[in-house]
Amino acid sequence: MATLIAIDPFNRIEGDLRVEIEVEDNTVTFAKSSGIMFRGFERIMSGRSPMDALVITPRICGICSGSHGVAASKALALAQSAEMPENAYYMKNLILGIEVVMSHLSHFYLLFAPDLTSPRYKGLSVYEKVNHRFTAMKGSSVVMALNARQSALEIMGLVGGKWPNSLAIHPTGTTSTMNLSTLTRTIGILKEFQDFLEKRFLNCSLGEWLDIDSFDKLLKWQEKSGHNGSDIVLFLTMCLEAGFDRIGKGPNRYMSYGAYDLPDGSTWLPSGFFENRLHPLDQTLIKEHIGASYFRDAVEARHPLEGVTAPLVDKSGAYSWAKAPRYEGKTVEVGPLARMIIADDPLLTDMMQQMDSSVMTRMFARLREMCRLTKEMSLWLEKINPAEPFYASPSSRFSATGIGLTEAARGSLGHWMKISSNLIENYQVVTPSAWNMSPRDESGQPGPVEQALTGVHVADPKDPVEVNHIIRSFDPCMSCTVH
Ligand code: NFE
Ligand code: MG
C-alpha cells in the first residue's frame, strides 16, 4: 500500500514549499510540489509608472533582488531604447555576479551540506570529516564560509550601494559609481573571497581547478596528494559513496536566457535551449499553464506578454500558487546545470555524458559556476574606468513592450511588461523556481522537481533524506516561485 508523506514546510529555503510524495515498496510513485501562498506582485504593478518596476520587483525576493533589478532594468531599456555607458555593463554584471556567487556559496554550506551530516551516512569513509566541516553553523568550513559570504556582501555594498534591493540598477546604467579607491578596495575584497575558495574549498588555485576539463581528470586530481584537504574533494567522495550521481534525474531539457551583457552586444554566458543538442532560444515559445494552479479557469496557456494573474482560491484540482511555465509545451530545467551545459563547460559536459543529470551533476555545476564567476568578476573589475561615466540620461517615453531576460542564481528569470499611455498595463514575471518547482499542466505533465522525485528509492520513508537532497539540488526559492 502506498504511504503518503507530506514535507511541509520544507525547511531551509526562502518562502513556503509543500512537497507530497507517495511511497510504495520504498519507491516514490508520485510527487507534488506546491507553492502555498499567493503574493500578487504582478497585480501590484498594474497602472504604475514603468520605472516603479526598479523599486518594486526586487522585493519579490530577499535573496535574488539584484537579479529582479537587472531583469526589470533590461525590460525598461528595451521599452526606452536606452543605451548604457561601458562601465555600467561591468557594474551590473558585478552586482548580478556577486549575488549569484554569494547564493551558490550559501546554498552549499548553509542549505545543502547540513543534510550530508545525517547519521544515515555513518558507514561512509568521510562521515566524521563531513561532520567536522559541515555541521550546521558550527562546522569548521561553515564558519569560514560565513566569513567569505561577508566579503561578498561588502563587495555588493561597494558596487550596488546596498543589498538586498539595490536602487543603483537602471536601464541607462548604474547610479553607483567607482573611484580609484573603491575600485582598489573591491579588488582586494574579491581576492579575500577567492582566498577562501583556493584555500578551503579547492585547496588549489582557481586556475588549476578551472583547467580540469573531464571527469577522469577530476578523479586523478582528487587522488593527487594535497587535495584531500579541500571541501570539494570531500563532497566528491561523498557524492560517489552515497550515490548522489544516481538520484534526481530531471527532464533532460535545459534552458538559459544567457546573461552578463557585454558592451559589444554579446553575453558572457550564452542563451539556448538544449534538448539532445543546442537550439537557439526563442522566448516566443514560452507559455505559462495554469491547469493545476489556483488561477482563473477557462484561460488557455499564454505567453507572458498576454499573461493573466487572476487568483481562484477554490479551484478544483489545483494544488499550487505557481503557474507552470513550459517551452514549446515541454518542461525544462533551468539553473547552473542548464547554464554550464549550454555554455559547453568541458567538465560538466563530460560529467553529463558519464552520469546524466543528478543531484551530483546539479551540485557540481553550481560549484563550478561559482568558481568561473569569481574569476570573471576580477576581469570585469579591471575593465572599469573610474574617469568614464556610469550612467546616461534616460528618456521619459516608453514603447508598448519591454522584455527583460537574465539568469538569476537559480536559473532563467524573465520580466515582460506591456505599457500604454506611459503606464504599466500588464507586468508578468516568470522566475527560475517557477520553471523548476512548477506543478502539473493541463496535460498532466509533472514539473521538473516532481519528475526528478518520481522513481527514487527511499531507504527509510520516515526519514526521506534522498528526497531532501533532490529537492535541494534545485535550490528552490518559493517567494520567487509564487511572486
Ligand atoms: Ni527568490 Fe530567484 C533566483 C529569482 S528563484 S531566489 O535566483 O528570480 O526563482
Ligand atoms: Mg508570473
Side-chain angles (χ1 to χ4, degrees):
M1 213 189 74
T3 317
L4 180 74
I5 302 173
I7 308 176
D8 180 12
F10 186 81
N11 65 10
R12 296 201 308 279
I13 60 164
E14 179 94 350
D16 301 311
L17 168 65
R18 174 183 169 90
V19 172
E20 275 178 32
I21 51 172
E22 273 177 29
V23 180
E24 200 166 351
D25 296 332
N26 291 78
T27 301
V28 175
T29 52
F30 188 81
K32 253 164 65 169
S33 148
S34 308
I36 56 171
M37 71 193 295
F38 177 68
R39 299 185 70 223
F41 270 81
E42 290 161 344
R43 293 171 65 91
I44 292 171
M45 300 307 297
S46 290
R48 292 180 184 269
S49 160
M51 295 301 273
D52 286 4
L54 297 173
V55 181
I56 295 175
T57 63
R59 267 92 182 158
I60 286 173
C61 182
I63 56 175
C64 67
S65 60
S67 310
H68 284 285
V70 167
S73 76
K74 288 187 76 175
L76 289 163
L78 193 72
Q80 291 183 304
S81 306
E83 291 190 4
M84 300 196 298
E86 276 201 20
N87 277 337
Y89 285 86
Y90 302 116
M91 292 290 278
K92 281 191 181 176
N93 288 351
L94 285 160
I95 294 172
L96 186 61
I98 276 291
E99 182 168 276
V100 170
V101 160
M102 193 160 65
S103 185
H104 290 355
L105 179 87
S106 310
H107 178 262
F108 181 68
Y109 285 103
L110 308 182
L111 309 179
F112 191 88
D115 287 333
L116 303 177
T117 65
S118 160
R120 169 79 69 82
Y121 296 122
K122 267 199 172 118
L124 303 189
S125 72
V126 290
Y127 178 73
E128 276 179 24
K129 203 162 187 184
V130 161
N131 269 269
H132 179 259
R133 290 199 170 199
F134 297 149
T135 294
M137 302 315 288
K138 293 197 295 258
S140 59
S141 293
V142 174
V143 171
M144 292 167 86
L146 281 168
N147 285 329
R149 188 176 193 277
Q150 187 172 333
S151 301
L153 266 172
E154 285 171 24
I155 298 173
M156 188 62 104
L158 288 164
V159 292
K162 79 180 190 67
W163 189 86
N165 308 326
S166 164
L167 294 171
I169 308 164
H170 282 252
T172 51
T174 57
T175 53
S176 52
T177 60
M178 286 221 164
N179 57 31
L180 216 46
S181 147
T182 46
L183 189 56
T184 314
R185 254 178 87 196
T186 310
I187 291 168
I189 301 170
L190 185 62
K191 188 76 186 62
E192 282 173 25
F193 184 83
Q194 184 171 333
D195 270 359
F196 166 78
L197 294 184
E198 295 186 328
K199 293 197 174 122
R200 186 68 173 201
F201 179 67
L202 300 171
N203 200 20
C204 76
S205 74
L206 218 44
E208 184 182 339
W209 163 250
L210 292 175
D211 279 345
I212 296 174
D213 57 5
S214 71
F215 189 54
D216 278 356
K217 283 195 191 156
L218 179 64
L219 294 177
K220 288 208 182 85
W221 174 82
Q222 175 192 23
E223 283 162 16
K224 248 172 55 185
S225 62
H227 295 309
N228 292 330
S230 76
D231 289 343
I232 189 82
V233 162
L234 199 57
F235 183 54
L236 172 62
T237 312
M238 171 122 196
C239 281
L240 296 172
E241 286 189 13
F244 295 167
D245 52 335
R246 297 190 299 274
I247 55 169
K249 182 174 158 65
N252 247 347
R253 288 180 292 271
Y254 304 91
M255 184 180 79
S256 168
Y257 293 151
Y260 306 100
D261 297 347
L262 297 168
D264 67 1
S266 66
T267 54
W268 177 58
L269 287 180
S271 68
F273 169 64
F274 193 97
E275 184 180 29
N276 303 315
R277 62 182 180 83
L278 188 61
H279 306 266
L281 181 87
D282 177 0
Q283 64 82 27
T284 64
L285 300 177
I286 294 169
K287 282 187 175 167
E288 287 202 290
H289 297 246
I290 54 162
S293 313
Y294 295 114
F295 294 99
R296 200 174 68 204
D297 272 327
V299 177
E300 291 187 346
R302 286 169 182 256
H303 181 266
L305 273 182
E306 310 302 328
V308 175
T309 303
L312 185 64
V313 66
D314 50 5
K315 177 168 157 181
S316 111
Y319 64 90
S320 182
W321 284 102
K323 293 179 186 172
R326 303 288 187 254
Y327 186 86
E328 278 183 314
K330 299 166 186 168
T331 51
V332 298
E333 175 171 346
V334 299
L337 180 59
R339 289 194 287 259
M340 290 300 101
I341 291 169
I342 289 165
D344 201 18
D345 178 88
L347 175 61
L348 265 299
T349 301
D350 187 52
M351 285 175 78
M352 282 298 291
Q353 275 159 8
Q354 302 211 23
M355 62 185 67
D356 216 333
S357 82
S358 62
V359 168
M360 179 173 174
T361 42
R362 209 167 279 125
M363 290 302 294
F364 265 77
R366 186 171 291 114
L367 298 169
R368 182 81 168 175
E369 184 177 71
M370 173 170 76
C371 294
R372 284 184 63 166
L373 252 174
T374 302
K375 179 177 165 220
E376 207 59 30
M377 285 193 293
S378 66
L379 303 178
W380 291 332
L381 277 167
E382 282 174 21
K383 299 254 167 73
I384 289 176
N385 179 353
E388 296 288 327
F390 291 75
Y391 181 82
S393 296
S395 144
S396 56
R397 302 183 63 81
F398 297 90
S399 66
T401 48
I403 299 176
L405 306 179
T406 189
E407 286 288 316
R410 288 154 196 77
S412 308
L413 170 65
H415 286 198
W416 283 260
M417 64 166 100
K418 263 198 172 167
I419 300 164
S420 86
S421 310
N422 274 350
L423 293 176
I424 294 171
E425 187 185 310
N426 191 13
Y427 203 104
Q428 290 285 315
V429 174
V430 184
T431 60
S433 297
W435 286 94
N436 288 336
M437 303 306 292
S438 66
R440 282 163 179 72
D441 49 42
E442 295 80 15
S443 63
Q445 183 179 209
V449 166
E450 294 177 330
Q451 179 180 352
L453 288 172
T454 308
V456 72
H457 183 263
V458 176
D460 175 8
K462 290 201 178 65
D463 178 24
V465 177
E466 304 85 349
V467 169
N468 289 359
H469 292 322
I470 293 171
I471 297 170
R472 216 178 285 287
S473 71
F474 286 87
D475 189 10
C477 166
M478 299 313 286
S479 311
C480 278
T481 303
V482 297
H483 54 270

PDB file of all heavy atoms in Angstrom, residues 58 61 63-73 92 95-96 99 156 163-166 169 406 413:
ATOM      1  N   PRO A  58      12.286  44.042  -7.192  1.00  0.00           N
ATOM      2  CA  PRO A  58      13.320  43.386  -6.366  1.00  0.00           C
ATOM      3  C   PRO A  58      12.763  42.857  -5.047  1.00  0.00           C
ATOM      4  O   PRO A  58      13.294  41.900  -4.475  1.00  0.00           O
ATOM      5  CB  PRO A  58      14.349  44.500  -6.134  1.00  0.00           C
ATOM      6  CG  PRO A  58      14.220  45.355  -7.353  1.00  0.00           C
ATOM      7  CD  PRO A  58      12.736  45.371  -7.642  1.00  0.00           C
ATOM      8  N   CYS A  61      11.802  39.071  -3.741  1.00  0.00           N
ATOM      9  CA  CYS A  61      12.605  38.077  -3.040  1.00  0.00           C
ATOM     10  C   CYS A  61      13.769  38.697  -2.288  1.00  0.00           C
ATOM     11  O   CYS A  61      14.440  39.584  -2.800  1.00  0.00           O
ATOM     12  CB  CYS A  61      13.135  37.071  -4.049  1.00  0.00           C
ATOM     13  SG  CYS A  61      14.092  35.778  -3.261  1.00  0.00           S
ATOM     14  N   ILE A  63      16.526  37.140  -1.532  1.00  0.00           N
ATOM     15  CA  ILE A  63      17.839  36.596  -1.873  1.00  0.00           C
ATOM     16  C   ILE A  63      18.227  36.777  -3.335  1.00  0.00           C
ATOM     17  O   ILE A  63      19.350  36.467  -3.703  1.00  0.00           O
ATOM     18  CB  ILE A  63      17.978  35.102  -1.457  1.00  0.00           C
ATOM     19  CG1 ILE A  63      16.873  34.249  -2.073  1.00  0.00           C
ATOM     20  CG2 ILE A  63      17.985  34.968   0.056  1.00  0.00           C
ATOM     21  CD1 ILE A  63      17.049  32.750  -1.792  1.00  0.00           C
ATOM     22  N   CYS A  64      17.315  37.258  -4.186  1.00  0.00           N
ATOM     23  CA  CYS A  64      17.734  37.494  -5.576  1.00  0.00           C
ATOM     24  C   CYS A  64      17.209  38.825  -6.091  1.00  0.00           C
ATOM     25  O   CYS A  64      16.859  38.957  -7.265  1.00  0.00           O
ATOM     26  CB  CYS A  64      17.355  36.335  -6.487  1.00  0.00           C
ATOM     27  SG  CYS A  64      15.590  36.140  -6.719  1.00  0.00           S
ATOM     28  N   SER A  65      17.191  39.821  -5.203  1.00  0.00           N
ATOM     29  CA  SER A  65      16.647  41.130  -5.572  1.00  0.00           C
ATOM     30  C   SER A  65      17.441  41.773  -6.707  1.00  0.00           C
ATOM     31  O   SER A  65      16.878  42.441  -7.569  1.00  0.00           O
ATOM     32  CB  SER A  65      16.649  42.046  -4.345  1.00  0.00           C
ATOM     33  OG  SER A  65      17.969  42.216  -3.870  1.00  0.00           O
ATOM     34  N   GLY A  66      18.758  41.570  -6.710  1.00  0.00           N
ATOM     35  CA  GLY A  66      19.590  42.156  -7.766  1.00  0.00           C
ATOM     36  C   GLY A  66      19.213  41.593  -9.126  1.00  0.00           C
ATOM     37  O   GLY A  66      19.197  42.323 -10.135  1.00  0.00           O
ATOM     38  N   SER A  67      18.890  40.310  -9.166  1.00  0.00           N
ATOM     39  CA  SER A  67      18.513  39.671 -10.433  1.00  0.00           C
ATOM     40  C   SER A  67      17.202  40.256 -10.948  1.00  0.00           C
ATOM     41  O   SER A  67      17.043  40.509 -12.145  1.00  0.00           O
ATOM     42  CB  SER A  67      18.363  38.167 -10.242  1.00  0.00           C
ATOM     43  OG  SER A  67      19.497  37.652  -9.582  1.00  0.00           O
ATOM     44  N   HIS A  68      16.245  40.465 -10.038  1.00  0.00           N
ATOM     45  CA  HIS A  68      14.984  41.088 -10.463  1.00  0.00           C
ATOM     46  C   HIS A  68      15.244  42.527 -10.922  1.00  0.00           C
ATOM     47  O   HIS A  68      14.634  42.989 -11.892  1.00  0.00           O
ATOM     48  CB  HIS A  68      13.958  41.044  -9.327  1.00  0.00           C
ATOM     49  CG  HIS A  68      13.348  39.684  -9.151  1.00  0.00           C
ATOM     50  ND1 HIS A  68      12.396  39.179 -10.011  1.00  0.00           N
ATOM     51  CD2 HIS A  68      13.578  38.708  -8.238  1.00  0.00           C
ATOM     52  CE1 HIS A  68      12.053  37.948  -9.632  1.00  0.00           C
ATOM     53  NE2 HIS A  68      12.775  37.633  -8.548  1.00  0.00           N
ATOM     54  N   GLY A  69      16.154  43.224 -10.242  1.00  0.00           N
ATOM     55  CA  GLY A  69      16.504  44.579 -10.668  1.00  0.00           C
ATOM     56  C   GLY A  69      17.090  44.587 -12.075  1.00  0.00           C
ATOM     57  O   GLY A  69      16.745  45.425 -12.908  1.00  0.00           O
ATOM     58  N   VAL A  70      17.963  43.626 -12.339  1.00  0.00           N
ATOM     59  CA  VAL A  70      18.585  43.539 -13.667  1.00  0.00           C
ATOM     60  C   VAL A  70      17.518  43.214 -14.723  1.00  0.00           C
ATOM     61  O   VAL A  70      17.473  43.831 -15.793  1.00  0.00           O
ATOM     62  CB  VAL A  70      19.721  42.482 -13.680  1.00  0.00           C
ATOM     63  CG1 VAL A  70      20.163  42.157 -15.097  1.00  0.00           C
ATOM     64  CG2 VAL A  70      20.911  42.990 -12.859  1.00  0.00           C
ATOM     65  N   ALA A  71      16.625  42.275 -14.417  1.00  0.00           N
ATOM     66  CA  ALA A  71      15.578  41.911 -15.387  1.00  0.00           C
ATOM     67  C   ALA A  71      14.669  43.114 -15.664  1.00  0.00           C
ATOM     68  O   ALA A  71      14.342  43.410 -16.825  1.00  0.00           O
ATOM     69  CB  ALA A  71      14.765  40.725 -14.869  1.00  0.00           C
ATOM     70  N   ALA A  72      14.261  43.814 -14.600  1.00  0.00           N
ATOM     71  CA  ALA A  72      13.384  44.981 -14.778  1.00  0.00           C
ATOM     72  C   ALA A  72      14.097  46.058 -15.587  1.00  0.00           C
ATOM     73  O   ALA A  72      13.512  46.673 -16.489  1.00  0.00           O
ATOM     74  CB  ALA A  72      12.955  45.519 -13.412  1.00  0.00           C
ATOM     75  N   SER A  73      15.379  46.279 -15.286  1.00  0.00           N
ATOM     76  CA  SER A  73      16.110  47.345 -15.996  1.00  0.00           C
ATOM     77  C   SER A  73      16.275  46.981 -17.473  1.00  0.00           C
ATOM     78  O   SER A  73      16.243  47.853 -18.344  1.00  0.00           O
ATOM     79  CB  SER A  73      17.465  47.614 -15.335  1.00  0.00           C
ATOM     80  OG  SER A  73      18.401  46.608 -15.649  1.00  0.00           O
ATOM     81  N   LYS A  92      26.788  46.253 -13.573  1.00  0.00           N
ATOM     82  CA  LYS A  92      25.605  45.382 -13.461  1.00  0.00           C
ATOM     83  C   LYS A  92      26.017  43.915 -13.398  1.00  0.00           C
ATOM     84  O   LYS A  92      25.433  43.126 -12.654  1.00  0.00           O
ATOM     85  CB  LYS A  92      24.677  45.600 -14.653  1.00  0.00           C
ATOM     86  CG  LYS A  92      23.818  46.845 -14.537  1.00  0.00           C
ATOM     87  CD  LYS A  92      22.755  46.793 -15.625  1.00  0.00           C
ATOM     88  CE  LYS A  92      21.879  48.024 -15.594  1.00  0.00           C
ATOM     89  NZ  LYS A  92      20.901  48.025 -16.702  1.00  0.00           N
ATOM     90  N   ILE A  95      27.118  43.241  -9.901  1.00  0.00           N
ATOM     91  CA  ILE A  95      26.001  43.130  -8.955  1.00  0.00           C
ATOM     92  C   ILE A  95      25.347  41.751  -9.093  1.00  0.00           C
ATOM     93  O   ILE A  95      25.138  41.026  -8.118  1.00  0.00           O
ATOM     94  CB  ILE A  95      24.959  44.258  -9.185  1.00  0.00           C
ATOM     95  CG1 ILE A  95      25.566  45.629  -8.857  1.00  0.00           C
ATOM     96  CG2 ILE A  95      23.697  44.005  -8.353  1.00  0.00           C
ATOM     97  CD1 ILE A  95      24.696  46.816  -9.232  1.00  0.00           C
ATOM     98  N   LEU A  96      25.070  41.381 -10.344  1.00  0.00           N
ATOM     99  CA  LEU A  96      24.447  40.074 -10.590  1.00  0.00           C
ATOM    100  C   LEU A  96      25.393  38.945 -10.179  1.00  0.00           C
ATOM    101  O   LEU A  96      24.991  37.983  -9.507  1.00  0.00           O
ATOM    102  CB  LEU A  96      24.092  39.971 -12.080  1.00  0.00           C
ATOM    103  CG  LEU A  96      23.307  38.742 -12.545  1.00  0.00           C
ATOM    104  CD1 LEU A  96      21.958  38.660 -11.850  1.00  0.00           C
ATOM    105  CD2 LEU A  96      23.098  38.785 -14.066  1.00  0.00           C
ATOM    106  N   GLU A  99      25.794  38.503  -6.427  1.00  0.00           N
ATOM    107  CA  GLU A  99      24.585  37.896  -5.861  1.00  0.00           C
ATOM    108  C   GLU A  99      24.573  36.380  -6.129  1.00  0.00           C
ATOM    109  O   GLU A  99      24.239  35.581  -5.248  1.00  0.00           O
ATOM    110  CB  GLU A  99      23.342  38.552  -6.467  1.00  0.00           C
ATOM    111  CG  GLU A  99      22.047  38.018  -5.897  1.00  0.00           C
ATOM    112  CD  GLU A  99      20.856  38.873  -6.302  1.00  0.00           C
ATOM    113  OE1 GLU A  99      20.618  39.878  -5.612  1.00  0.00           O
ATOM    114  OE2 GLU A  99      20.181  38.548  -7.300  1.00  0.00           O
ATOM    115  N   MET A 156      29.156  43.760  -2.618  1.00  0.00           N
ATOM    116  CA  MET A 156      27.834  44.201  -3.058  1.00  0.00           C
ATOM    117  C   MET A 156      27.577  45.641  -2.612  1.00  0.00           C
ATOM    118  O   MET A 156      27.034  46.454  -3.363  1.00  0.00           O
ATOM    119  CB  MET A 156      26.767  43.260  -2.500  1.00  0.00           C
ATOM    120  CG  MET A 156      25.407  43.514  -3.034  1.00  0.00           C
ATOM    121  SD  MET A 156      25.350  43.268  -4.823  1.00  0.00           S
ATOM    122  CE  MET A 156      24.543  41.686  -4.878  1.00  0.00           C
ATOM    123  N   TRP A 163      22.363  45.879  -0.289  1.00  0.00           N
ATOM    124  CA  TRP A 163      21.735  44.609  -0.671  1.00  0.00           C
ATOM    125  C   TRP A 163      20.965  44.081   0.512  1.00  0.00           C
ATOM    126  O   TRP A 163      21.489  44.136   1.627  1.00  0.00           O
ATOM    127  CB  TRP A 163      22.811  43.594  -1.092  1.00  0.00           C
ATOM    128  CG  TRP A 163      22.265  42.337  -1.701  1.00  0.00           C
ATOM    129  CD1 TRP A 163      21.931  42.135  -3.017  1.00  0.00           C
ATOM    130  CD2 TRP A 163      21.979  41.102  -1.034  1.00  0.00           C
ATOM    131  NE1 TRP A 163      21.467  40.859  -3.198  1.00  0.00           N
ATOM    132  CE2 TRP A 163      21.475  40.194  -1.996  1.00  0.00           C
ATOM    133  CE3 TRP A 163      22.082  40.658   0.289  1.00  0.00           C
ATOM    134  CZ2 TRP A 163      21.086  38.891  -1.692  1.00  0.00           C
ATOM    135  CZ3 TRP A 163      21.686  39.364   0.601  1.00  0.00           C
ATOM    136  CH2 TRP A 163      21.200  38.491  -0.386  1.00  0.00           C
ATOM    137  N   PRO A 164      19.749  43.564   0.399  1.00  0.00           N
ATOM    138  CA  PRO A 164      19.031  43.455  -0.880  1.00  0.00           C
ATOM    139  C   PRO A 164      18.454  44.790  -1.336  1.00  0.00           C
ATOM    140  O   PRO A 164      18.587  45.803  -0.641  1.00  0.00           O
ATOM    141  CB  PRO A 164      17.899  42.477  -0.541  1.00  0.00           C
ATOM    142  CG  PRO A 164      17.652  42.655   0.919  1.00  0.00           C
ATOM    143  CD  PRO A 164      18.988  42.986   1.515  1.00  0.00           C
ATOM    144  N   ASN A 165      17.784  44.744  -2.489  1.00  0.00           N
ATOM    145  CA  ASN A 165      17.030  45.878  -3.027  1.00  0.00           C
ATOM    146  C   ASN A 165      17.896  47.089  -3.326  1.00  0.00           C
ATOM    147  O   ASN A 165      17.577  48.215  -2.925  1.00  0.00           O
ATOM    148  CB  ASN A 165      15.876  46.265  -2.082  1.00  0.00           C
ATOM    149  CG  ASN A 165      15.002  45.081  -1.731  1.00  0.00           C
ATOM    150  OD1 ASN A 165      14.807  44.186  -2.563  1.00  0.00           O
ATOM    151  ND2 ASN A 165      14.507  45.023  -0.518  1.00  0.00           N
ATOM    152  N   SER A 166      18.974  46.869  -4.039  1.00  0.00           N
ATOM    153  CA  SER A 166      19.799  47.979  -4.507  1.00  0.00           C
ATOM    154  C   SER A 166      18.950  48.896  -5.379  1.00  0.00           C
ATOM    155  O   SER A 166      18.123  48.435  -6.163  1.00  0.00           O
ATOM    156  CB  SER A 166      20.962  47.429  -5.345  1.00  0.00           C
ATOM    157  OG  SER A 166      21.542  48.477  -6.089  1.00  0.00           O
ATOM    158  N   ILE A 169      20.425  50.044  -9.874  1.00  0.00           N
ATOM    159  CA  ILE A 169      20.308  49.404 -11.192  1.00  0.00           C
ATOM    160  C   ILE A 169      19.259  50.122 -12.044  1.00  0.00           C
ATOM    161  O   ILE A 169      18.080  50.147 -11.690  1.00  0.00           O
ATOM    162  CB  ILE A 169      19.905  47.917 -11.009  1.00  0.00           C
ATOM    163  CG1 ILE A 169      20.862  47.230 -10.028  1.00  0.00           C
ATOM    164  CG2 ILE A 169      19.872  47.188 -12.339  1.00  0.00           C
ATOM    165  CD1 ILE A 169      20.349  45.912  -9.485  1.00  0.00           C
ATOM    166  N   THR A 406      17.226  37.482 -18.013  1.00  0.00           N
ATOM    167  CA  THR A 406      18.569  37.325 -17.441  1.00  0.00           C
ATOM    168  C   THR A 406      18.657  35.966 -16.748  1.00  0.00           C
ATOM    169  O   THR A 406      17.719  35.172 -16.808  1.00  0.00           O
ATOM    170  CB  THR A 406      18.896  38.489 -16.480  1.00  0.00           C
ATOM    171  OG1 THR A 406      20.278  38.412 -16.119  1.00  0.00           O
ATOM    172  CG2 THR A 406      18.058  38.448 -15.200  1.00  0.00           C
ATOM    173  N   LEU A 413      15.358  34.004 -15.530  1.00  0.00           N
ATOM    174  CA  LEU A 413      14.398  34.947 -14.949  1.00  0.00           C
ATOM    175  C   LEU A 413      13.958  35.918 -16.037  1.00  0.00           C
ATOM    176  O   LEU A 413      14.792  36.550 -16.689  1.00  0.00           O
ATOM    177  CB  LEU A 413      15.061  35.714 -13.796  1.00  0.00           C
ATOM    178  CG  LEU A 413      14.267  36.907 -13.255  1.00  0.00           C
ATOM    179  CD1 LEU A 413      12.959  36.444 -12.605  1.00  0.00           C
ATOM    180  CD2 LEU A 413      15.094  37.697 -12.244  1.00  0.00           C
TER     181      LEU A 413
END
